[in-house]
Amino acid sequence: MTVNTDITSADHGHAGLMAEFAWFREVLAARIALYFGQECPYASPIDVPVPDLAQRPDLYARWATAHELTVPERLVVMLALAPEIAPEALDPFFIRNATYDRAHSEFGGFTGRGHAGFLPTHETALFLLAGDNPAARLDLLPLLQSGSALVDHWIIDSSPGLPPDSAGAPLPEPVTARPLALSATAMTVLRDGGKAMLVVPPGVPGALLTSRLAWDDLVVPPATSAALARVLAWIEHGGRLHEIDGLGSHLRPGHTILFHGPSGTGKTLAAALVGKRAERPVISVDLAQLVSKYIGETEKNLDRLFTEAERRGWILFFDEADALFGKRTSINSSNDRYANMEVGYMLQRLEAFSGLAILASNLVTNFDDAFLRRFHQLIHFPLPDAPMRERLIRDCLGKTASKDIDPKHLATKFTVSGATIVNAIRHAWLSAFAAGDATLQLDEIEEGFRLELAKEGKSS
């Protein structure tokens, strides 16, 4: 399932959430009334009208729709959320069993040390959804276990253990006694404006790659720009390729690209802007987290990464990818053999990936020919020529630089990358601020360039 996570621009009102919670209250009231044989306007809790989230533009509605939550899953989310926003809604579960003068065991739940309200467990969710119907409860158990959308999408927290005994030791109880709680990620989504939809969940080796720049700020040669346009075309139309008679059966599911060229030429920026233009999150993979010295752990990390990327519609970006996907070594030891097995598994997982994967490297020659043939596109990011450097300098200078500064002269004098230009002008502004100047001067910029060139082992 591909999840559209572009919700940060949504209306952050809570109308959809409040409608959903009102529906949950009504379902719960119907469940309790019917269970105790009381008067109820519904023959079954499932008869309570379900809110149409498609008609609501607010954050919760978009979040639930993005994850394609089913009606039972939505009720579980509301049950888990209730102690946070309306604990009194769960007070009906405090009804005591008159026969045994104790709580109803079928309700599950417990009370916390500081929270006076009812805290639900998986048992509570099963009662809400299935009442005391054993067959229905069995059918619903997988909803709360690993492999379900609620657990695998980090919506409910699968980590809390069973409530401890008085000595603090876990009790040997049924799995349904586990506390029911929303994950920290889901809580952040519902509480803080949806940014957590773009946060990489625990255990996934990567971080969100963003940029404040726009597509027009990317200064690359026409050939590079045209190649990037083809990437965007695949994002929008790639699925149609598999529908073409004859061609479709020969195609792999995803799209794999290599950005190659010297440092500072815009490879990382281009990856961020492709995601921004396509309205998809770009996840920069942390190779240090991905590769483990322990046998089998790297494969697990890869599976976690690619599985979550396919679920959420992420674009994956592997910077300095030759460190991971480069030429395989000759086998001189068991460690070499295992390293080559890891590389082989990575390539296999990459080929099976149905989304967009972007690899970046300074040197295309760091990849063996067999691997290069697996890329759908090789996109070159060369050092900028003089007109490109002039544009970059002009863009970075803005309107507060001295009129004596000639961007064309600087572009001719300094043959450098775009990143070097940015850093040089950054140095210049710091010098200007230290001198109490509000206007950038030519000597400050030239000194900035000399500092950057010296850092790179070059002279002006």
Side-chain angles (χ1 to χ4, degrees), residues 383-444:
L383 285 170
D385 59 18
M388 292 166 60
R389 294 196 297 274
E390 180 184 349
R391 178 185 162 187
L392 284 165
I393 293 169
R394 198 178 300 278
D395 288 347
C396 290
L397 287 177
K399 298 178 180 179
T400 54
S402 168
K403 300 299 182 182
D404 297 332
I405 298 174
D406 181 3
K408 186 174 183 178
H409 166 73
L410 291 170
T412 303
K413 184 174 182 179
F414 299 104
T415 304
V416 294
S417 70
T420 299
I421 290 171
V422 172
N423 286 337
I425 296 177
R426 177 180 180 274
H427 282 307
W429 271 116
L430 288 175
S431 297
F433 292 151
D437 294 336
T439 302
L440 204 58
Q441 303 299 322
L442 177 61
D443 60 335
E444 292 165 334

Side-chain angles (χ1 to χ4, degrees), residues 145-181:
Q145 297 173 347
S146 180
S148 72
L150 291 177
V151 174
D152 288 359
H153 291 180
W154 285 277
I155 294 173
I156 63 173
D157 192 348
S158 60
S159 62
L162 301 172
D165 61 17
S166 57
L171 296 172
E173 300 186 32
V175 68
T176 53
R178 293 173 63 91
L180 179 71

